[in-house]
Amino acid sequence: MAQILVWADHDGAVLKDATRNAVTAAAQLGAVHVLVAGSGVAGVAQAAAMISGVAKVLVADDAAYAHGLAENVAPLILGLMADHDAFVAPATTTGKNIAPRVAALLDVAQISEILSVEGPKRFTRPIYAGNAIATVESSDAKLVITVRGTAFAKAGDAGSAQIETIGTTGDRGQSSFIGAEVATSERPELTSARVVVSGGRALKDAPTFEQVLFPLADRLGAAVGASRAAVDAGYAPNDCQVGQTGKIVAPEVYIAVGISGAIQHLAGMKDSKIIVAINKDEEAPIFQIADIALVADLFEAVPALTASL
Ligand SMILES: Cc1cc2nc3c(=O)[nH]c(=O)nc-3n(C[C@H](O)[C@H](O)[C@H](O)COP(=O)(O)OP(=O)(O)OC[C@H]3O[C@@H](n4cnc5c(N)ncnc54)[C@H](O)[C@@H]3O)c2cc1C
């Protein structure tokens, strides 16, 4: 049976949900071993061991891995690939940073953002910003794959995998961690939220964006997203951006407020189960994919909707 090495995405304390989607994809390829690399990551390893379908958790605990620097982590993975047939990472910021370096070191072609597993080496993946789906087959001996989380269910918590501590490869001295400014929020994480309320350029400025959208998001227990125009104009932080160059989301409900529906935005949210669009222009492209379309001025419609909940 093929052995698959899955990258556990975590922040040092909490295992990110995207790991669970990657495990579901990897389980279709073979026996799943999850690599937890970091510093002081015993808790993360325990959480990974409980994921259904995981056979083994490999723990590499070293200060060099504390911030997931690809330059330090990739040599570790390269060593482990002697015993594995595929490296699978969630298509998160960290996964997308590490996987190409691993692919280069293995001298194989990376298969990015798979949507389905069609065979041992055959996958589907989006091209042209998700407007076409390509079926690709690798001829490489080892596979390096990133997984689009929205295309695979999250593996549950019924597992009890063994945890094995492995040797580390240390600091390669090629890069160093300077700092991170991480936006903290009480709201659910954008990529795993059941409901997302997103705002666009029409929200005017940062205070208006907050004033109009946050009460609705709070009422619904929703994550807040934004179009790139809203992010570029400084209404919302970068990690709120939904779309081709932002995050890919597929919540149960996506509410697009004052967003035109440019193809690059749709690439990030069109797989949402129910799409609600509020826009004053009835010709706005977002209405072509909306399940519920409200042609209205958002400054009237959103407060009225919030008040009615
Ligand atoms: C390479 C590339 C990558 C990109 N990646 C992304 C990406 O990841 N994500 C992304 O979002 N964009 C991305 N873009 C940008 C994209 O092309 C659009 O420019 C952007 O999505 C537009 O944002 P918007 O809908 O907020 O603004 P606009 O297109 O300006 O739309 C604003 C909408 O608000 C409506 N409106 C105005 N006032 C009101 C009101 N009072 N009430 C109700 N409705 C109102 C208008 O009718 C309009 O439809 C990318 C572009 C490129 C070239």
Side-chain angles (χ1 to χ4, degrees), residues 199-204 226-232 235 241-248 254 256-269 278-287 294-302:
R201 199 196 309 266
L203 271 304
K204 286 189 179 145
S227 71
R228 176 156 155 185
V231 168
D232 286 352
Y235 307 176
Q241 186 178 316
V242 172
Q244 186 185 335
T245 44
K247 290 183 175 164
I248 309 287
Y254 187 88
V257 178
I259 292 179
S260 58
I263 189 169
Q264 297 90 353
H265 187 79
L266 303 189
M269 45 64 75
I278 303 174
N279 198 305
K280 69 176 184 185
D281 175 9
E282 63 183 81
E283 302 287 325
I286 190 84
F287 287 139
L294 182 59
V295 181
D297 186 324
L298 73 91
F299 296 106
E300 288 166 17
V302 176

